[in-house]
Amino acid sequence: MMTANEVRESYKKFFETKGHKIVASAPMVIKDDPTLMFTNAGMNQWKDIILGTKDPGKDVRRVDSQKCLRVSGKHNDLEEVGHDTYHHTMFEMLGNWSFGDYFKEGAIDYAWEYLVDVLHLNPEDLYVTVFEGSPEENLSRDDEAARFWGKHVPADHIINGNKHDNFWEMGDTGPCGPCSEIHVDSRTPEEKAQVPGRELVNKDNPQVIEIWNIVFMQYNRKADGSLEPLPMHVIDTGMGFERLVRMLQGKHSNYDTDIFQPIIKEIERLTGLKYEDAHGDSRTQTNIDVAMRVVADHLRAVAFSIADGQLPSNAKAGYVIRRILRRAVRYAYTFLNRKEAFMYKLVPVLVQEMGAAYPELPAQQELIARVMKEEEDSFLRTLDKGINLLNGDMDELKAHGKTELDGAAAFRLFDTYGFPLDLTELICRENGYTVDGKGFDEEMEKQKARARNAAVVENGDWEVVKEGEQEFVGYDYTEYECHILRYRKVTQKKNTFFELVLDHTPFYGEMGGQVGDTGVLVSADETVEVIDTKRENNQSIHIVKQLPKDIRADFMACVDIDKRDGSAANHTATHLLDYALKQVLGDHVEQKGSYVSADTLRFDFSHFQKVTDEELRQVERIVNDMIRQDFPLDEHRDTPLEEAKALGAIALFGEKYGDKVRVVRFGPSCEFCGGIHAKSTGRIGFFKIIGESSVAAGIRRIEALTGKACEEAIYALQDTLTDVRALFNNAKDLKGVVGKYIEEHDAMKKDIEKFRAQTVERLKDELVKRVKLMNGVQVVRAVIEMEPSAAKDLVFKIREALPENLLCVIGSKAHEKPMLSVMLSDDMVKGHSLNAGQMIREAAKLIQGGGGGQPHYAQAGGKNIDGLNAAVDKVIELAAL
Ligand code: SER
């Protein structure tokens, strides 16, 4: 039996023998595409080739195994995962590609040869689907595909499929086309004899499932919904790796293959529970099995995301990852009885199983486990809070004799504490209550409507002014002649602006942490301001408030040079910082994010404790040394990937690199980088760290300044110092003088405290002497100048001196503020049923204040100092002695 790793290799090797180049998986987390957060199909990384905006070069046939995540957007499997045995969040997609080379017949023949001749699947178990056509889209049935399949399978194994199943689209817009799916019937011979496989295709039968989708990319779906033919025909195939392995290993469930079993075994070991291999149909499914599948699946998604540089967070992709992790924690909490973080303990086994194929896992194992544990801990705390809240809600229900929790309460738990309805229902059920599910749905709808109203960006279609591709000239120029190729209108919360693509541009689009350029487009008749530049599909997108009047004019594109120089210097400084951190802290330091603007820089990196002041100073010294050495920018554009690695250039996990990369060197610092840099390190001027902090478990952040910003910061620092020195009579030995002041200050504080204690003691003696007896109660009454804390000490001391039959009321004044303190001995509370807290609430009205406390002692502050005497008398009156 082939192992999973062998299957992956055999696929790549087969297509290699058919002239395909083996290429690497792109990162699973997508960084520079506003339309997609995660790779959801193998074709994502080839989107610009498919759309015709990038030349595929000589490698028009390619093959790979792509890490994918389907949890948001058009292709979203999240809620299915765990409940059946063949859906996943993260999965691997085996793909072969033809960019304008072979088309339907070639793709069908190769697929057949691989499945039947190489993997020896039984042709009788294979069914294929073809697109039945769609009159409203004006598309006819894919007779061609049917004809080519006819060479391999009998007619009753070819099934028509509708637009939902057989017309593949990447998202709401983008490349698309009819597709043919291959389904495998893996039921027993008896089952097959009862119902023919063709009747179960696409019917959610867990044993008759799709393994391979072959898309004939022919169209581009535009924002207005229309289809436009693509410049060339493309073959995009996607085979579900986990499903294929399951077929080949003769298992009923993906989770029974060697991809998942080691993880499940470890879950069993850690929980002491058993995975019973329920088949994922509702009859035999147990919650424990579901929970184990959820955890095994989500572990992979979360670990691979962190390895790709995407940490769980509250926004966008980070939030999706957080939700996946929380879903796993929830299932483990409820059904595996895990009340403490435990998923992170599964990281070693995952690394052992997948580390060879994906080196980003072992390289970052410690970071992955730390981040996971921190997230688990924090969500478990939230769960606890939510459960307390729910307990409170249930107590309320009980008090009012009700049995149903209302929808708004259930929704609040969902919204604030991440409790999905089923968890709330489960806890309520265990306690004999039900939940108003309909009310919950209504609240959910209301929230969705609110979100829809806040919907942010609407992109229009690109209007083509001139055919052609953009060339980026910004590494060499800050001004360049250009023309507009295309533009589109964008509406964001009622604001409208336009995005332009130019044929030549010196404008750098925001990427790799470096902000986009700003500047102007100048023609003979007008000047248009470029307020920002973004990056999309490897192109600079220039943002302008208004379209130029003459869209076809010759323009000069001019970058704002001051800003550009600032961000270039800061970007170069991050490279030097990265180098210095590795020198000082060690090779485990790996860049985890950065932000570089004209004014400041921020650099996030993996490191497991606080960087000490000494280490920071060492880092600063190394960077400043490199600045003084004035290393020139040594740039290698279009370096083949392997050559760049051989140069020792630092690549980042989770970044997408093409076959050719740009390498940027400054002396000993050497990195893969597409950013804009200073011409030499000397241009940075000076480097100063202004902050070191933690971003997440195992990730630190350094904030720093360079050049002019540094200069200004130093002036500001000096000004402060000058001002402070002036306060101390321009003392030469400022440190010594301030030290002495602090010493004196501390000594005076002690004296004052002593003096205050003596005063309190003296006052106590005096007041105790002046005590008045009223109906056998010892009443102490006084109005005095005194700090609130001293007044508190005083009443406690009086109680010590007169522990019985005591009513003590002190009105004190300090800094023009009145304060009322009431103290009762215990027998007064019990015997006379007096309550200091209640009395003070009433009396404090006279000083326009409020307060309260316990039955025997209470304090209240107020605003009206003139009412203090009356307030003191009021307390005595209320005691009604
Ligand atoms: N793009 C198709 C899919 O994802 C085939 O790779 O199913």
Side-chain angles (χ1 to χ4, degrees):
M1 188 173 73
M2 280 167 107
T3 64
N5 286 327
E6 285 163 359
V7 175
R8 195 189 290 112
E9 279 318 296
S10 98
Y11 177 79
K12 291 188 197 166
K13 282 270 142 34
F14 172 79
F15 280 96
E16 194 179 34
T17 63
K18 304 291 181 194
H20 292 61
K21 182 174 173 177
I22 299 178
V23 291
S25 169
M28 192 170 77
V29 183
I30 297 180
K31 307 234 162 72
D32 294 313
D33 186 341
T35 61
L36 208 57
M37 288 194 281
F38 301 102
T39 297
N40 66 6
M43 51 75 62
N44 298 155
Q45 67 164 322
W46 318 120
K47 194 171 118 184
D48 31 8
I49 299 184
I50 298 172
L51 285 172
T53 54
K54 188 174 164 191
D55 181 0
K58 63 179 186 356
D59 297 318
V60 291
R61 294 179 175 211
R62 302 183 195 186
V63 61
D64 66 3
S65 171
Q66 172 67 48
K67 306 175 273 187
C68 298
L69 190 65
R70 288 193 174 173
V71 285
S72 56
K74 190 170 177 72
H75 299 280
N76 183 352
D77 295 336
L78 183 59
E79 289 312 319
E80 325 256 355
V81 175
H83 290 278
D84 65 25
T85 54
Y86 55 98
H87 276 99
H88 300 290
T89 51
M90 185 211 144
F91 61 98
E92 289 179 74
M93 191 181 267
L94 304 173
N96 54 286
W97 315 89
S98 156
F99 303 121
D101 189 8
Y102 61 84
F103 200 47
K104 292 186 185 179
E105 184 168 20
I108 288 172
D109 289 350
Y110 286 149
W112 192 257
E113 186 182 338
Y114 180 62
L115 292 181
V116 175
D117 297 347
V118 179
L119 299 182
H120 307 298
L121 290 184
N122 182 354
E124 283 175 19
D125 291 338
L126 302 180
Y127 293 86
V128 298
T129 59
V130 296
F131 180 45
E132 67 185 6
S134 161
E136 77 263 27
E137 299 256 28
N138 213 2
L139 297 169
S140 53
R141 176 180 185 258
D142 194 351
D143 290 336
E144 236 182 348
R147 186 153 50 81
F148 297 132
W149 280 122
K151 294 198 309 194
H152 305 291
V153 290
D156 65 351
H157 279 232
I158 305 175
I159 298 159
N160 279 350
N162 60 20
K163 199 169 123 189
H164 175 260
D165 291 322
N166 282 85
F167 193 87
W168 199 85
E169 309 202 34
M170 184 189 75
D172 293 336
T173 59
C176 54
C179 61
S180 250
E181 297 169 346
I182 303 173
H183 295 249
V184 184
D185 181 357
S186 60
R187 292 171 305 151
T188 60
E190 296 74 46
E191 285 170 328
K192 285 176 188 164
Q194 272 171 10
V195 184
R198 61 171 290 123
E199 287 176 22
L200 298 176
V201 165
N202 276 332
K203 294 286 186 314
D204 287 334
N205 183 307
Q207 302 312 330
V208 183
I209 59 169
E210 173 203 340
I211 54 162
W212 203 343
N213 187 15
I214 301 174
V215 185
F216 312 119
M217 292 284 190
Q218 280 171 277
Y219 306 102
N220 178 25
R221 173 81 68 191
K222 299 180 50 176
D224 66 6
S226 63
L227 294 173
E228 155 190 275
L230 287 176
M232 68 178 163
H233 285 173
V234 169
I235 285 296
D236 152 21
T237 88
M239 175 139 64
F241 174 65
E242 294 75 7
R243 295 179 178 189
L244 177 67
V245 171
R246 159 185 157 190
M247 292 298 158
L248 295 173
Q249 297 186 349
K251 305 288 184 195
H252 287 297
S253 153
N254 292 1
Y255 295 88
D256 290 345
T257 65
D258 63 345
I259 306 173
F260 286 98
Q261 269 304 301
I263 303 175
I264 298 217
K265 290 247 148 49
E266 186 67 358
I267 300 176
E268 287 185 323
R269 195 181 69 78
L270 290 169
T271 58
L273 297 167
K274 275 241 97 18
Y275 183 68
E276 289 179 351
D277 188 20
H279 292 164
D281 66 49
S282 50
R283 279 170 297 128
T284 50
Q285 173 177 304
T286 71
N287 285 334
I288 292 178
D289 282 357
V290 173
M292 289 197 184
R293 288 193 287 262
V294 166
V295 172
D297 174 279
H298 292 8
L299 167 76
R300 297 179 357 132
V302 176
F304 273 88
S305 299
I306 298 171
D308 262 3
Q310 182 58 64
L311 302 187
S313 74
N314 257 347
K316 297 186 186 161
Y319 188 56
V320 177
I321 300 306
R322 177 164 280 172
R323 266 180 36 220
I324 298 176
L325 180 133
R326 289 181 166 191
R327 185 168 184 263
V329 173
R330 219 173 18 81
Y331 273 85
Y333 183 94
T334 315
F335 301 117
L336 304 179
N337 207 20
R338 294 300 94 191
K339 309 295 184 216
E340 281 174 10
F342 110 108
M343 231 166 112
Y344 77 99
K345 294 186 185 158
L346 301 167
V347 172
V349 60
L350 176 70
V351 171
Q352 192 183 321
E353 296 304 318
M354 297 193 80
Y358 296 97
E360 63 268 39
L361 288 182
Q364 302 181 87
Q365 180 169 347
E366 185 173 1
L367 177 77
I368 296 168
R370 279 181 188 248
V371 172
M372 233 182 232
K373 177 166 188 308
E374 186 183 76
E375 271 295 302
E376 288 187 76
D377 284 340
S378 117
F379 183 52
L380 284 163
R381 282 194 296 274
T382 311
L383 270 184
D384 268 346
K385 273 196 221 141
I387 285 172
N388 278 340
L389 203 79
L390 184 53
N391 283 337
D393 287 344
M394 288 190 295
D395 287 347
E396 284 276 303
L397 292 180
K398 194 171 172 193
H400 292 94
K402 291 188 187 160
T403 57
E404 184 172 79
L405 184 74
D406 65 66
F411 186 75
R412 186 183 49 174
L413 282 165
F414 166 79
D415 205 28
T416 321
Y417 298 95
F419 273 48
L421 185 61
D422 59 4
L423 181 64
T424 307
E425 280 175 340
L426 186 90
I427 300 173
C428 283
R429 200 160 48 239
E430 280 168 6
N431 289 279
Y433 299 101
T434 55
V435 181
D436 174 12
K438 205 164 145 263
F440 177 90
D441 291 343
E442 281 164 14
E443 293 294 324
M444 181 76 107
E445 267 317 305
K446 276 191 222 159
Q447 196 193 46
K448 280 193 185 147
R450 282 194 295 272
R452 267 195 303 275
N453 289 341
V456 269
V457 194
E458 258 177 55
N459 287 337
D461 274 324
W462 286 107
E463 302 291 336
V464 177
V465 180
K466 192 176 158 214
E467 291 296 337
E469 285 322 303
Q470 181 180 82
E471 190 188 339
F472 176 66
V473 297
Y475 294 138
D476 303 308
Y477 302 94
T478 49
E479 290 188 6
Y480 211 85
E481 277 172 30
C482 66
H483 300 95
I484 295 172
L485 290 178
R486 42 188 178 271
Y487 67 89
R488 73 174 168 195
K489 187 170 165 181
V490 175
T491 314
Q492 189 169 24
K493 290 192 184 151
K494 295 202 182 125
N495 290 330
T496 299
F497 48 89
F498 294 87
E499 298 183 340
L500 310 178
V501 177
L502 307 176
D503 57 355
H504 294 93
T505 184
F507 280 75
Y508 182 77
E510 175 169 2
M511 191 178 57
Q514 181 164 4
V515 296
D517 280 326
T518 57
V520 285
L521 300 180
V522 185
S523 71
D525 301 319
E526 62 181 324
T527 299
V528 179
E529 196 188 343
V530 176
I531 53 174
D532 197 5
T533 312
K534 288 192 311 184
R535 187 121 186 139
E536 205 176 296
N537 293 328
N538 266 325
Q539 298 181 81
S540 288
I541 310 283
H542 309 74
I543 302 176
V544 296
K545 286 199 182 133
Q546 255 163 3
L547 278 182
K549 287 188 202 77
D550 180 3
I551 201 90
R552 292 171 201 283
D554 300 335
F555 289 96
M556 195 68 164
C558 312
V559 169
D560 177 332
I561 299 173
D562 281 348
K563 257 186 86 179
R564 153 77 73 97
D565 284 349
S567 55
N570 278 335
H571 198 156
T572 303
T574 62
H575 283 209
L576 306 190
L577 173 59
D578 190 12
Y579 173 82
L581 284 168
K582 287 190 170 76
Q583 297 292 305
V584 174
L585 304 177
D587 276 341
H588 63 280
V589 167
E590 156 94 22
Q591 176 171 348
K592 285 290 161 208
S594 72
Y595 173 78
V596 173
S597 72
D599 316 311
T600 179
L601 72 91
R602 204 164 71 199
F603 188 76
D604 298 344
F605 57 99
S606 46
H607 182 58
F608 302 120
Q609 59 260 346
K610 192 171 167 46
V611 188
T612 65
D613 288 348
E614 249 164 75
E615 287 164 338
L616 290 176
R617 184 54 59 84
Q618 255 176 296
V619 167
E620 288 175 324
R621 285 190 198 288
I622 294 176
V623 173
N624 281 312
D625 242 10
M626 291 170 89
I627 292 173
R628 280 188 297 272
Q629 291 185 58
D630 199 17
F631 293 118
L633 164 64
D634 174 17
E635 179 202 18
H636 303 256
R637 289 181 208 162
D638 295 330
T639 311
L641 193 64
E642 293 311 317
E643 210 175 287
K645 284 188 183 151
L647 276 174
I650 299 171
L652 295 186
F653 290 119
E655 281 304 317
K656 176 176 155 190
Y657 297 111
D659 304 340
K660 301 241 172 98
V661 294
R662 178 164 175 258
V663 174
V664 169
R665 252 180 139 139
F666 289 98
S669 145
C670 182
E671 299 199 12
F672 284 43
C673 183
I676 304 275
H677 283 275
K679 295 275 173 286
S680 72
T681 56
R683 305 251 181 148
I684 299 170
F686 186 51
F687 171 85
K688 182 85 195 82
I689 293 174
I690 53 165
E692 193 274 346
S693 56
S694 155
V695 195
I699 306 218
R700 311 293 308 179
R701 165 169 295 174
I702 281 185
E703 285 161 279
L705 300 175
T706 65
K708 218 168 155 40
C710 252
E711 191 185 328
E712 292 303 328
I714 288 170
Y715 293 152
L717 209 62
Q718 196 179 13
D719 290 349
T720 311
L721 211 57
T722 309
D723 291 349
V724 173
R725 191 166 273 142
L727 289 176
F728 289 91
N729 293 329
N730 293 322
K732 285 233 160 46
D733 174 21
L734 185 62
K735 207 168 140 192
V737 173
V738 172
K740 226 170 101 213
Y741 258 83
I742 292 173
E743 248 172 52
E744 279 173 19
H745 171 266
D746 289 350
M748 279 194 294
K749 217 165 128 187
K750 273 200 198 116
D751 283 350
I752 293 173
E753 268 156 24
K754 218 159 98 197
F755 177 70
R756 188 182 279 167
Q758 284 167 356
T759 314
V760 168
E761 196 63 32
R762 191 170 39 74
L763 263 170
K764 176 209 70 179
D765 290 344
E766 217 171 279
L767 292 175
V768 166
K769 259 187 240 152
R770 282 185 6 214
V771 65
K772 269 200 196 138
L773 269 183
M774 288 172 76
N775 275 339
V777 175
Q778 312 185 74
V779 178
V780 177
R781 178 199 185 283
V783 175
I784 40 187
E785 289 277 342
M786 187 172 250
E787 294 287 333
S789 63
K792 181 174 175 188
D793 286 351
L794 178 64
V795 294
F796 274 90
K797 281 200 178 305
I798 291 176
R799 187 169 117 127
E800 251 170 52
L802 306 169
E804 276 165 22
N805 293 333
L806 170 70
L807 165 62
C808 167
V809 193
I810 305 289
S812 58
K813 313 178 213 176
H815 318 292
E816 301 300 312
K817 290 255 164 68
M819 179 96 196
L820 199 58
S821 305
V822 178
M823 177 64 91
L824 294 166
S825 53
D826 285 344
D827 56 329
M828 293 295 290
V829 176
K830 288 196 192 107
H832 288 71
S833 302
L834 293 183
N835 185 320
Q838 274 169 16
M839 292 195 291
I840 213 164
R841 257 192 294 280
E842 185 64 32
K845 289 179 189 157
L846 295 166
I847 53 169
Q848 285 176 16
Q854 297 131 332
H856 74 282
Y857 164 66
Q859 239 184 354
K863 287 190 214 112
N864 175 22
I865 209 152
D866 297 334
L868 199 52
N869 261 308
V872 169
D873 291 341
K874 180 78 186 174
V875 175
I876 296 172
E877 180 197 322
L878 285 168
L881 300 171

